[in-house]
Amino acid sequence: MASKTKKITSIGGSALIEGIMMRGPKKNTVCVRTGKDELYTEDVTVTFLAQKAKIFKLPFFRGFAGLIDSMRLSYKSLMLSADKAVESVEIDEEPSKFEKWLDEKFGDKLMKILMAFASVLGVALAIGLFFFLPSFLFDVSGSFIPAFRDDSVYSYTVTDNTTTVQFMDEAEKELTVPFAVTDTGKVWTVLDEKDENGLYKITVTDETNPAGNGTVSMRNMRNWKRVYIKTAENGAALSAKQKMDVSQEGLQRLWKSIFEGVLKIVLFLGYIILVSQTKDMKRVFMYHGAEHKTIFCYENDEELTVANVKKQIRFHPRCGTSFMVIMLLLGILIGLFVPANPFGIAFLRPLFKILLIPVTCGIGYELIKLCGRHDNTLTRIIAAPGLWAQRITTKEPDDDMIEVAITAIKAVIPDDGSDIINCGC
């Protein structure tokens, strides 16, 4: 945990463009610096999901609802801060014809349209980068990394005559077995072995008469082990018992979950490191630091002054950055329960993981609340990765930023103390 405080508040917030939004138990306030000695404050209202349905107040359900509510509130607050930031900027040069056309066409709605477009594009890009790309790269890596290949052996007890072996990913390529299989004791096994033509072999084993074994070849394809057997006459699947090396399939699932999780963390950290180098994002991260330090000052029962806030630390366990890191780590564990290639179709895995986001959010939210309420060895271990990542997403603020944070938090502190969490820490 970041530090031991005298009390714990439910008040949280987020950094904006030249401002901060503080979220209290009774209201949410945005404070934006519009000039050297000018601050603009405005309350922002959002109807939370828990207010619409009681189920979203329950553990695990409240996690996904909290994420949606936070995104809506942050988006609305960000729009407000962006509008005020644009108004406070002095534009000396004459706008271009295109800028004039945009202003005449959309007027005050232009910023909202641009933000909406950027949000949709950002979500699409995030889904592509954090769900589909890692799964795709793992499958490609299997071509030259043996441990990443699906080496499970699928065996079938064949009970019919002439049969066809068909690949699920390339159904048009079939191989008709040139002999009848009439003995129910015969077992077909796909081998990791090629013949002189570069085709994978299938052994047909007669359990009652080993000397009668035969070998046929199968077309060489990347996903050659995902096969099923059907009759040549009507294409119906045979009523055969499938045997699979479960330990091998589980090992591939483990490797894929680790690969995807590590790549997601690298992408996440790489992105925030990259954007932190820009001037505007540096200032946002400085406001982020001001938000954390001000909350710590309040939780330490110290007067909310610039001097008192400055001496606080800027790493807080109840932070969006920590939540994101926990979500990424949980994704590795949850990935262990999703087949590497569901039904033999690779792109179904990222789709299933997208559908499991509410589960990940629910667990992650409860862990964040646990770290925020308690200080022990377990919570320090859980919070450690997120606190480390905050070294990137929070920077030391200047006095003007701290003034903004103080103004914002004072506006949302309730008189009845309903923000204080009595957890017996």
Side-chain angles (χ1 to χ4, degrees):
M1 191 167 176
S3 72
K4 186 75 172 181
T5 56
K6 295 180 181 179
K7 61 184 179 183
I8 295 177
T9 179
S10 62
I11 294 174
S14 62
L16 308 172
I17 300 173
E18 295 301 324
I20 288 175
M21 181 274 293
M22 285 290 186
R23 177 177 175 178
K26 297 184 176 180
K27 68 175 182 175
N28 318 295
T29 299
V30 169
C31 182
V32 180
R33 181 166 291 283
T34 56
K36 183 172 178 58
D37 299 313
E38 298 177 5
L39 298 179
Y40 175 84
T41 60
E42 182 177 328
D43 293 341
V44 179
T45 58
V46 172
T47 303
F48 298 127
L49 293 177
Q51 296 174 295
K52 297 180 180 180
K54 292 182 178 179
I55 191 174
F56 293 121
K57 293 182 180 181
L58 300 176
F60 298 105
F61 290 98
R62 61 190 177 187
F64 183 66
L67 176 64
I68 299 299
D69 290 338
S70 295
M71 291 175 63
R72 291 166 57 215
L73 180 58
S74 296
Y75 177 80
K76 196 169 183 179
S77 301
L78 185 61
M79 287 291 298
L80 175 59
S81 70
D83 287 339
K84 294 303 173 183
V86 170
E87 291 176 6
S88 63
V89 174
E90 296 181 3
I91 302 176
D92 297 327
E93 58 184 32
E94 182 72 16
S96 64
K97 292 183 179 180
F98 179 67
E99 290 172 334
K100 289 181 179 178
W101 179 83
L102 287 176
D103 187 57
E104 293 174 359
K105 189 73 174 178
F106 301 104
D108 296 336
K109 296 180 180 180
L110 178 60
M111 182 60 70
K112 294 181 179 180
I113 294 173
L114 293 176
M115 290 291 289
F117 176 76
S119 299
V120 172
L121 183 62
V123 170
L125 186 61
I127 290 175
L129 286 177
F130 288 94
F131 288 95
F132 287 94
L133 180 63
S135 182
F136 171 75
L137 291 180
F138 179 88
D139 292 337
V140 172
S141 300
S143 302
F144 51 88
I145 302 179
F148 290 178
R149 296 174 189 160
D150 181 7
D151 288 332
S152 304
V153 176
Y154 293 76
S155 300
Y156 299 85
T157 301
V158 182
T159 59
D160 213 332
N161 291 330
T162 304
T163 60
T164 297
V165 178
Q166 183 180 41
F167 291 95
M168 297 185 72
D169 56 343
E170 296 187 42
E172 73 281 1
K173 295 185 178 179
E174 300 179 354
L175 173 67
T176 301
V177 181
F179 56 84
V181 180
T182 58
D183 191 340
T184 58
K186 293 186 184 298
V187 178
W188 290 25
T189 306
V190 184
L191 302 178
D192 195 356
E193 181 183 348
K194 299 177 183 178
D195 63 9
E196 64 275 11
N197 297 317
L199 304 181
Y200 284 102
K201 294 181 179 180
I202 301 176
T203 61
V204 183
T205 304
D206 189 333
E207 295 178 346
T208 60
N209 180 20
N213 295 349
T215 302
V216 296
S217 298
M218 178 177 285
R219 296 183 184 278
N220 180 6
M221 300 178 194
R222 182 171 61 85
N223 291 327
W224 60 274
K225 294 183 182 65
R226 297 191 199 95
V227 302
Y228 65 92
I229 300 174
K230 69 179 184 180
T231 63
E233 296 178 358
N234 55 24
L238 295 176
S239 57
K241 182 179 180 181
Q242 178 177 328
K243 302 175 183 178
M244 183 178 67
D245 186 343
V246 178
S247 62
Q248 186 68 31
E249 197 276 338
L251 185 61
Q252 191 210 19
R253 191 183 302 183
L254 172 64
W255 278 118
K256 192 164 192 176
S257 295
I258 294 174
F259 179 91
E260 290 174 343
V262 171
L263 183 57
K264 288 177 184 179
I265 292 173
V266 170
L267 288 171
F268 174 70
L269 294 178
Y271 170 76
I272 60 178
I273 289 173
L274 183 63
V275 299
S276 68
Q277 304 307 307
T278 65
K279 180 181 177 181
D280 291 338
M281 284 307 300
K282 278 183 180 179
R283 291 190 62 80
V284 171
F285 289 166
M286 289 170 72
Y287 274 107
H288 193 190
E291 173 219 330
H292 285 187
K293 291 166 79 76
T294 303
I295 292 175
F296 267 132
C297 184
Y298 173 63
E299 291 183 322
N300 281 316
D301 265 342
E302 297 187 30
E303 185 182 357
L304 290 170
T305 64
V306 173
N308 286 339
V309 170
K310 288 181 72 172
K311 64 185 181 182
Q312 308 295 326
I313 61 173
R314 69 178 196 269
F315 312 121
H316 203 289
R318 298 190 315 276
C319 172
T321 302
S322 294
F323 180 70
M324 288 300 300
V325 172
I326 288 178
M327 289 267 290
L328 293 173
L329 293 175
L330 283 173
I332 298 177
L333 298 178
I334 291 177
L336 297 176
F337 298 94
V338 181
N341 295 281
F343 308 109
I345 305 174
F347 75 84
L348 285 181
R349 177 178 168 88
L351 288 179
F352 285 167
K353 295 189 74 174
I354 291 173
L355 294 176
L356 288 171
I357 287 179
V359 177
T360 311
C361 288
I363 299 174
Y365 181 82
E366 298 305 321
L367 291 176
I368 282 290
K369 286 183 71 69
L370 182 69
C371 292
R373 291 169 177 254
H374 302 280
D375 181 15
N376 53 51
T377 302
L378 176 62
T379 58
R380 291 193 197 103
I381 292 173
I382 296 173
L387 293 175
W388 181 86
Q390 288 180 44
R391 296 180 181 276
I392 306 172
T393 62
T394 63
K395 302 298 180 184
E396 288 296 333
D398 59 31
D399 292 357
D400 289 345
M401 295 174 177
I402 293 175
E403 288 178 0
V404 172
I406 291 173
T407 302
I409 196 171
K410 282 183 176 180
V412 301
I413 296 175
D415 296 331
D416 59 2
S418 57
D419 66 301
I420 304 303
I421 301 171
N422 297 316
C423 63
C425 297

